[in-house]
Amino acid sequence: MSTTSLHKQIAITLVDNAVNDGFIISINNGDETIVDQSRNSGEIIGAMFHAEMDTLTLNVEERRVGFITLIYDNERNGLDVISDHTDIPHINRLVEHTMREFER
């Protein structure tokens, strides 16, 4: 499995898990917001991967609760795609649950 495809698999799984957990997601690619408050996984995923990074802003209803930054770096093993995230229990569980799916 190539690093790029592993990055994408983790990012797609993260988005699916976040939507299933009830988050509303906005996507910023470092330059602009390309998706604003969506629950549509297909729309969110379709807007990702066009730059070296994406930041997912996570909202519950109209309230921003945190973010997750994804960096698509082809020189690493792919498991490091989640570069940073807000350190609160629900987002920590989301990230941990997603990464557990890729443990070998």
Side-chain angles (χ1 to χ4, degrees):
M1 174 182 321
S2 76
T3 301
T4 301
S5 66
L6 182 57
H7 280 159
K8 283 187 175 185
Q9 288 177 23
I10 292 169
I12 289 167
T13 300
L14 178 71
V15 167
D16 287 340
N17 289 342
V19 169
N20 289 337
D21 280 356
F23 285 111
I24 301 167
I25 302 174
S26 297
I27 300 288
N28 183 292
N29 66 7
D31 292 325
E32 63 181 317
T33 298
I34 48 181
V35 170
D36 190 28
Q37 298 196 6
S38 177
R39 285 191 171 126
N40 181 321
S41 292
E43 175 188 22
I44 296 164
I45 292 164
M48 296 170 64
F49 313 112
H50 299 290
E52 293 179 7
M53 66 174 282
D54 288 308
T55 299
L56 288 65
T57 301
L58 305 175
N59 296 282
V60 174
E61 297 177 11
E62 297 297 317
R63 187 173 63 91
R64 179 179 187 255
V65 294
F67 72 92
I68 300 173
T69 300
L70 305 170
I71 297 179
Y72 312 118
D73 178 13
N74 291 329
E75 296 182 22
R76 299 197 182 239
N77 67 5
L79 294 172
D80 62 339
V81 67
I82 299 173
S83 168
D84 195 11
H85 61 85
T86 302
D87 185 14
I88 61 171
H90 197 79
I91 294 177
N92 290 339
R93 281 192 301 274
L94 170 65
V95 169
E96 290 167 8
H97 172 74
T98 299
M99 293 311 296
R100 256 194 314 271
E101 295 183 39
F102 293 92
E103 288 178 352
R104 295 173 194 194

